[in-house]
Amino acid sequence: MVVSISETEINVAVDLATRAAAVASAIINKSIEERQSAMVETVAKTNSTDLVTMYDAQCEEEVINILKSGTPFYNILSEETRSDVELTNDPTWVVDPIDGTTSFVHGFYDCCVSIALVVNKEPILGVISAPRLQEIFTAVKGRGAFCNGQRIFVSESTTLEESVVFVHQSYNRSQRAVDSVIAIQTELAKLPVHSLRNNGAAALDMCFVAAGRAEMYFEVNIHAWDYAAGTIIVREAGGVVHDVDDTETYDLMRHGMCCGCCKEITAKGVELARKYDYRNAIMDL
């Protein structure tokens, strides 16, 4: 059954998500500033490159408490404690308390808080806060995308040769996975694109696409909480978001996406993903 929520409910949700992101961002900033160059204690989730910290749990708890205070009957899908919640058509908060944990651990700028509201399995609201950059990206379906309150738009480029492209190194470091990523990077470098980038947070790189700072980003073996908020921000900025291996489909639970300023460019990302068996290589299929 298709679910609808009112404009009033959306406005309440925007306020909740913004407040929750601000609280989590303050925790991130305080942690980095207090420890300076000291390393925070980490635990490896799946392998030594996939990290989680005590601050992930702390941020998630604060975010969930705020979201529940105003929308007690909404579902919540989040990375650390509610990752197995089924995504239905019902209103669902999708939360990544710290996207880019490795960057956070090392004190880099490219970590963020990502909060989305998903209805009918489609993101309709997104708030992404990058505390080290002092930037907050927001979008609501039909209302446009913004950075620090200023309207943002994707790049007007239509050619890959004039593009900045994000291709992340996967947590999977098997030979097959590494070979696939390097093959894609090599082909893009030889084209050549303007530049290749490898930052630490999926959500933040989607914001960079939305703000016209890059033209394409694609990745697999990521989760709904990594790209739900970024999806609505890119779309409201005039860009496109779809599956990594099909320009005509989109599935939050399929663990992969491609986004960009236009489909002429993202179609090339899909072509490369298929050519080098990107999804299967990274996900060990």
Side-chain angles (χ1 to χ4, degrees), residues 13-283:
V14 170
D15 179 65
L16 289 169
T18 302
R19 286 197 286 122
V23 170
S25 293
I27 293 171
I28 291 172
N29 271 334
K30 187 171 185 287
S31 166
I32 291 177
E33 288 162 6
E34 285 183 347
R35 58 188 163 88
Q36 297 178 342
S37 61
M39 291 282 285
V40 66
E41 183 178 352
T42 64
V43 176
K45 290 197 292 187
T46 59
N47 60 44
S48 62
T49 67
D50 187 8
L51 305 177
V52 63
T53 74
M54 59 180 283
Y55 297 102
D56 291 82
Q58 183 182 353
C59 287
E60 183 174 272
E61 181 179 4
E62 295 288 348
V63 167
I64 288 176
N65 285 342
I66 292 172
L67 298 179
K68 288 176 66 176
S69 71
T71 54
F73 301 110
Y74 287 8
N75 296 327
I76 300 178
L77 172 65
S78 57
E79 181 176 14
E80 305 306 334
T81 62
R82 297 168 181 249
S83 61
D84 57 351
V85 170
E86 180 184 2
L87 184 64
T88 68
N89 285 352
D90 292 332
T92 303
W93 290 110
V94 181
V95 175
D96 194 341
I98 304 180
D99 187 25
T101 298
T102 300
S103 290
F104 166 69
V105 167
H106 289 274
F108 281 113
Y109 71 91
D110 52 332
C111 57
C112 63
V113 183
S114 179
I115 303 172
L117 180 61
V118 175
V119 181
N120 300 310
K121 300 180 181 179
E122 287 282 341
I124 65 166
L125 179 163
V127 174
I128 295 173
S129 175
R132 306 312 290 171
L133 293 175
Q134 299 183 2
E135 291 187 322
I136 301 175
F137 297 86
T138 60
V140 175
K141 187 174 182 180
R143 301 186 189 178
F146 299 82
C147 176
N148 290 351
Q150 298 295 312
R151 188 76 184 266
I152 57 173
F153 298 93
V154 296
S155 165
E156 295 181 356
S157 177
T158 57
T159 63
L160 198 54
E161 290 87 346
E162 297 175 346
S163 299
V164 171
V165 180
F166 293 111
V167 182
H168 290 199
Q169 179 61 57
S170 171
Y171 290 129
N172 181 351
R173 300 297 172 84
S174 70
Q175 189 64 53
R176 182 185 177 204
V178 171
D179 287 347
S180 177
V181 172
I182 289 177
I184 291 170
Q185 292 174 328
T186 299
E187 189 155 333
L188 288 168
K190 287 181 177 179
L191 188 58
V193 296
H194 273 181
S195 184
L196 291 172
R197 292 286 186 266
N198 180 11
N199 287 330
L204 192 53
D205 279 354
M206 295 184 79
C207 290
F208 292 160
V209 170
R213 302 172 191 173
E215 280 66 37
M216 182 169 66
Y217 161 48
F218 58 99
E219 187 171 5
V220 298
N221 206 19
I222 54 177
H223 301 271
W225 47 79
D226 294 308
Y227 61 101
T231 293
I232 188 64
I233 292 171
V234 170
R235 287 175 174 172
E236 286 297 311
V240 296
V241 186
H242 48 70
D243 286 338
V244 74
D245 39 24
D246 185 351
T247 61
E248 302 304 317
T249 61
Y250 174 83
D251 185 347
L252 262 177
M253 304 306 288
R254 199 159 182 263
H255 305 296
M257 68 83 214
C258 178
C259 71
C261 57
C262 63
K263 197 170 286 188
E264 288 88 348
I265 286 177
T266 59
K268 297 295 185 180
V270 168
E271 181 183 319
L272 286 170
R274 290 175 174 173
K275 180 177 180 179
Y276 294 105
D277 200 26
Y278 180 47
R279 176 185 291 279
N280 292 333
I282 300 299
M283 299 189 69

